[in-house]
Every structure is written in structure tokens, then in C-alpha cells.
Amino acid sequence: MDLVVRAARAVTPAGLGPATIGVRDGRIVAVEPGVVEMAGARVVELADDEVLLPGLVDTHVHVNDPGRAEWEGFGTATRAAAAGGVTTIVDMPLNSLPPTVDVAALEVKRKAASGRVHVDVGFWGGAIPGNEGDLRGLHDEGVFGFKCFLLHSGVDEFPPLDASGLESALRELKSFDAQMIVHAEDSDAIEAAPDPHGEKYHDFLGSRPRGAENLAITQVIEAARRTGARAHILHLSSSDALPLIASARREGVELSVETCPHYLSFVAEEIRDGATQFKCCPPIREAANRELLWQGLADGVIDTIVSDHSPCTPELKRFDTGDFGLAWGGISSLQLGLPAIWTQARQRGFGLTDVVRWMAERPAAQVGMTRKGKLEVGGDADFCVFAPDEAFVVDVAKLKHRNPVSAYDQRPLAGVVRGTWLRGEPVTGGEARGTLLTRGNC
């Protein structure tokens, strides 16, 4: 073996228990139950308070590079990912310039990322009005699926699909079995809601009502039902939609669902006036809603937890005015997802096997990554060394993403990532050894 890792506790497909992992040429070639002798050029023995997890897979990251790299960038985003135990990300097609809506734009993005990534990186394509003829080409070039909005995306260069455009795009994707991932808020419902303005979070919450999310999710369900295409609901925040989703699945609609650490951690009642670092769309909702989202995870209605890391420069958060209507919406959390979720999960009786299922195994499965998300023979030797009983207080100045803004600043969290390994080598933040992934090669 090139590497042997011995752990008194590891999360494997068999559950949580002692394991010895053998690695050769960056792949796992042996998984033995128990801490056993195994010959290797390098042997790493985890401390008693550490748990070996598979590297996490975050399928919802806005890197914003090229074009808005001052918001983030491939170097800083992937260092932050590695610091949080994330070994694979999939980059969203918008907020970069150009948006990834044709093959030429995908090549621009790959060139920007080449030689600069510290973890493995894949790419989503975008579905916008007028680019239906570009979708097959992007698919053939290896994107993991296609993102669309049903209302203004926040940037003019990535316009939304209307109802007929969504259905037409889904029919096209069905023809080559690609999935559509959808920002599901209904534009008419948002336009009819009060305008967001001022420092009161309650007023901002009223501008993005649950009904807008519920209506849009119903639209996605019905379009997926009619076309037979695969659809995925992004960043679910409204617990009202859970029965709709469960019913659609029982009826055979191919539908998967994600939520995010901020919806499972924060509650609207505790967001201070002017605290625009908490603004995101759809919004963080009330405490009772949060508990129903956790129940949705327990019931298996929600499949995955991913970051929706959507950073910006500090001035775009409008801390000068505290006006939620003017501030950019997005939570910077790529480095903090694992401890944020573990802090909440352990309080509700969930274990690390649940967290791994939500944040590694199922995200990898959703995008067809067969070598990611599990500690099993044949998989990539991507590891997260996690100390679940160590605690820390978040200091935004010490985080690895580009700009020192995060809703988690000064929040106490449980669980510390002590090491991250990519294909059998530790990620140090020095040499960028990540790979640009395409669908089918991971």
C-alpha cells in the first residue's frame, strides 16, 4: 500500500466503527473492519478523539470565477472547502462572467480553474431562455446537469425560464437523461409580496413568502411529471413543501431535494435588525419551520445538505445601511458546513453516519459520482479527519474564503476538521492538486 489509515472510529458503508483503510495510486483498495496490521509505505493512525469520514461532496457552490473573482475565486473557494473537509465541489453556472450556458463559456471557466484548485471540481451548466440548443453540447462536455431559475436570478446575464420554457428544457434534458436543478420561487408571488426594504428582517421575510416557494415547487413537480425528466429542488427552505414532494415521489416523479446548513442552524426570530449577513433567497425562516426541515431529513424526504456558498464583497452586503432590500443575498459557509450541521444534528439524536449520508454519500449519488462520498473499495481516497467532540468559536477573519463575511461569525460550533486528504495525499493549501471533473470520470 502507498498509505494505510488506521482509525478507532470510521464511517464506512457498514456504519460507525473501527476500520483500517488501504490506499494505492489514490484509490481505496482495502477496507478492513477493526484496527488491524496492514503493510504500507506510510501508516497514519488517527487519535482516539478523531473519526475518519469520507471527504464531503458539496454540489452547490458559487465560485464566481472568472468575472467576479473578487467575490471568491477558485483558489480561495477550494482552500475553504478543504479546510471544511470537503474534497469535491460542483460550481454553479452563474455569477461568473460569462455564465456557463454554452460550451465556449464552459471552456473559459475550465481555463480559469486549471491549476488553481485544491479539491476536485465539477461544473453545472445553465438553462436560460434561448440556449436550449446548447444543452446537449454542454452535456457531452461533461457538466453534471443544468440549473435554472423561475424568477430573476440576481444577475441580468442569467435570466429565468417561464413555465413553457421550463417544460421545453425538461423535455430536451429527458432526451439524454440529464437532470435539471431548480431555484424554485414563483416570480408572480414574489412580485405581489411587499417590497423588501429597511433593517427589519421581518420585512425581508415577508417579501419572500413560503407560498412563492410552494407554488414554484408544485410547478416543477408537474413539469417533471409531464416530461418524465429528472428534477432537483435547490436550497429548500419552506417546510410546507415537504408533503408535496413526498406525494410526488410516491407517484413516481423523479425528484430529489436539498437543503442548506443555514436553514437548519439559524431561525428568523433571532436575526438582528440590519444583520444582512443573514440575507439569502429563499430566506431563513422561523424556528418551527427549521424543526420540520430536520424532520424532513429524518423521514428521507430531503436527500442532501449542501452549502449554497454564495459570497460577495463586504460592501455588497450593505452593512453601511443594514438594508435587507439593497444587500446581496447569500451565505458564505463552505468551510463550516460540517461543524454547523454536526452541532445541530447531535442535539437531535442524529449520528455521524447520518451526516455522512446527507453531506457525502447522497450528494455524490445525485450527480453520478461513483468514486466519491464513501469509504469503500474502488473509491477515491478522499478523507476528512474529524474531531466531533472538540468545539470552537468561528472567527470570520480566520476562514479561507476570500472575503471576511459570514453569518456564522462568533458562533460556537461543535466538531473540528483536523485534516483533509485528496486521493491519498493531505491537502495543505500549498500545491493545487485538485482535478477538474467531468460526468463519468469520477
Side-chain angles (χ1 to χ4, degrees):
M1 306 292 177
D2 302 324
L3 171 69
V4 172
V5 181
R6 291 153 48 94
R9 290 182 292 169
V11 176
T12 71
L16 177 64
T20 302
I21 311 291
V23 176
R24 187 181 299 121
D25 296 328
R27 297 278 190 90
I28 298 171
V29 295
V31 179
E32 295 293 336
V35 181
V36 301
E37 292 298 321
M38 187 181 294
R42 182 177 186 184
V43 178
V44 174
E45 188 136 9
L46 267 57
D48 290 342
D49 66 338
E50 296 175 339
V51 183
L52 185 67
L53 310 180
L56 304 187
V57 177
D58 191 338
T59 56
H60 195 149
V61 178
H62 293 270
V63 178
N64 308 329
D65 192 358
R68 292 190 176 99
E70 70 275 13
W71 293 17
E72 188 57 275
F74 282 106
T76 51
T78 55
R79 284 191 184 95
V86 177
T87 53
T88 305
I89 67 170
V90 187
D91 175 47
M92 284 291 163
L94 74 157
N95 299 344
S96 55
L97 293 169
T100 315
V101 295
D102 55 36
V103 171
L106 176 63
E107 289 307 311
V108 170
K109 180 163 284 195
R110 285 176 170 162
K111 184 177 180 180
S114 181
R116 298 174 56 213
V117 297
H118 297 267
V119 300
D120 287 352
V121 177
F123 301 99
W124 294 106
I128 63 172
N131 86 324
E132 195 169 302
D134 295 299
L135 302 181
R136 181 58 187 260
L138 281 164
H139 178 80
D140 290 346
E141 283 295 315
V143 299
F144 286 87
F146 298 88
K147 180 177 187 176
C148 72
F149 278 73
L150 302 184
L151 79 172
H152 195 279
S153 69
V155 291
D156 292 339
E157 68 272 8
F158 200 94
L161 296 177
D162 61 15
S164 63
L166 172 65
E167 186 154 339
S168 180
L170 283 171
R171 291 191 187 282
E172 174 67 10
L173 298 190
K174 172 65 175 176
S175 71
F176 45 88
D177 192 31
Q179 69 176 317
M180 179 76 87
I181 63 174
V182 185
H183 182 123
E185 290 181 282
D186 183 78
S187 60
D188 291 338
I190 296 292
E191 288 177 10
D195 289 335
H197 60 85
E199 299 181 350
K200 298 288 187 183
Y201 185 76
H202 178 269
D203 293 341
F204 168 65
L205 187 60
S207 75
R208 315 290 292 214
R210 295 189 197 197
E213 209 174 340
N214 304 335
L215 279 170
I217 289 170
T218 299
Q219 179 184 338
V220 174
I221 288 170
E222 294 311 309
R225 188 197 311 276
R226 288 191 293 269
T227 62
R230 293 187 288 137
H232 175 82
I233 303 298
L234 296 165
H235 44 51
L236 179 72
S237 81
S238 172
S239 62
D240 296 350
L242 292 170
L244 303 173
I245 294 162
S247 175
R249 284 175 166 170
R250 285 193 299 269
E251 295 168 355
V253 177
E254 289 202 63
L255 187 69
S256 55
V257 184
E258 68 183 45
T259 193
C260 305
H262 40 277
Y263 301 128
L264 299 166
S265 298
F266 304 121
V267 294
E269 294 91 333
E270 296 176 359
I271 297 176
R272 304 181 313 276
D273 290 352
T276 54
Q277 65 268 34
F278 290 90
K279 179 181 177 179
C280 57
C281 300
I284 295 161
R285 302 192 188 277
E286 303 83 357
N289 182 84
R290 177 183 66 175
E291 297 313 307
L292 289 170
L293 292 178
W294 277 105
Q295 188 60 50
L297 284 161
D299 295 340
V301 180
I302 300 173
D303 302 281
T304 62
I305 304 172
V306 293
S307 69
D308 190 11
H309 178 70
S310 186
C312 64
T313 56
E315 56 269 22
L316 289 176
K317 278 296 187 182
R318 296 307 304 266
F319 296 126
D320 57 334
T321 66
D323 191 325
F324 281 95
L326 298 177
W328 176 261
I331 305 286
S332 296
S333 61
L334 181 54
Q335 185 172 335
L336 298 170
L338 177 55
I341 289 302
W342 176 236
T343 299
Q344 298 293 323
R346 69 190 307 189
Q347 296 174 14
R348 294 167 174 80
F350 298 108
L352 284 172
T353 54
D354 299 306
V355 173
V356 166
R357 182 171 65 254
W358 298 326
M359 301 186 78
E361 180 181 338
R362 284 182 178 171
Q366 180 211 331
V367 295
M369 294 181 180
T370 60
R371 300 202 307 268
K372 303 291 188 181
K374 295 181 183 179
L375 299 180
E376 65 178 5
V377 172
D380 286 346
D382 297 347
F383 305 140
C384 168
V385 178
F386 188 58
D389 298 321
E390 185 177 350
F392 70 105
V393 176
V394 177
D395 180 352
V396 72
K398 296 180 180 179
L399 299 178
K400 303 294 185 182
H401 66 257
R402 183 175 298 280
N403 292 295
V405 177
S406 177
Y408 291 91
D409 189 31
Q410 300 306 306
R411 189 173 182 88
L413 297 177
V416 171
V417 175
R418 291 188 180 164
T420 302
W421 295 62
L422 182 67
R423 289 187 299 280
E425 295 289 340
V427 182
T428 65
E431 182 185 0
R433 295 185 298 100
T435 296
L436 302 186
L437 302 176
T438 58
R439 193 190 64 261
N441 78 344
C442 54

